[in-house]
Amino acid sequence: MKNTKKIKSELQIYSYKSGITKQVIQSTINDEIIETIKSTYQVPFVEKYEQLKQYIRVLEEKRKVYQMFVDKIQKVSETEVNEGHV
């Protein structure tokens, strides 16, 4: 599983790529070229960006669940130590 930092970096790259293609499309007059740029670059960049955002959400949710698990174990361990069960 990729780490969150790497995914966020990749997400930033696709954000830049999408922004650049949007600027190119806005400065282009030829409709045929615009459609080619959209289908070849912009649509795939936006799709990848959305996939990465979703993946970040999943990773964050997994991290939260894992942290809750760790916190509960730590709380139980502290309770056992305080009660002298260890």
Side-chain angles (χ1 to χ4, degrees):
M1 179 169 28
K2 296 180 182 180
N3 70 28
T4 304
K5 191 174 186 176
K6 183 174 180 184
I7 297 296
K8 286 182 179 180
S9 174
E10 208 173 327
L11 187 66
Q12 187 68 37
I13 289 168
Y14 277 94
S15 175
Y16 291 144
K17 287 180 177 183
S18 180
I20 290 168
T21 56
K22 184 176 180 180
Q23 289 175 356
V24 170
I25 288 169
Q26 288 174 345
S27 65
T28 302
I29 298 170
N30 185 312
D31 289 337
E32 187 178 326
I33 292 174
I34 289 172
E35 286 308 312
T36 300
I37 292 170
K38 282 182 179 179
S39 64
T40 305
Y41 299 103
Q42 188 181 35
V43 170
F45 291 162
V46 170
E47 287 174 353
K48 183 67 174 180
Y49 178 81
E50 292 301 322
Q51 288 173 351
L52 290 168
K53 275 181 29 180
Q54 181 60 32
Y55 192 64
I56 289 282
R57 284 186 208 110
V58 168
L59 287 176
E60 289 296 320
E61 187 61 33
K62 286 180 179 181
R63 184 195 60 75
K64 287 177 186 176
V65 169
Y66 176 77
Q67 190 60 50
M68 285 182 353
F69 179 73
V70 168
D71 291 346
K72 287 183 185 238
I73 289 176
Q74 185 176 5
K75 186 176 180 178
V76 168
S77 296
E78 289 172 359
T79 302
E80 288 177 345
V81 167
N82 290 339
E83 293 178 357
H85 293 135
V86 176

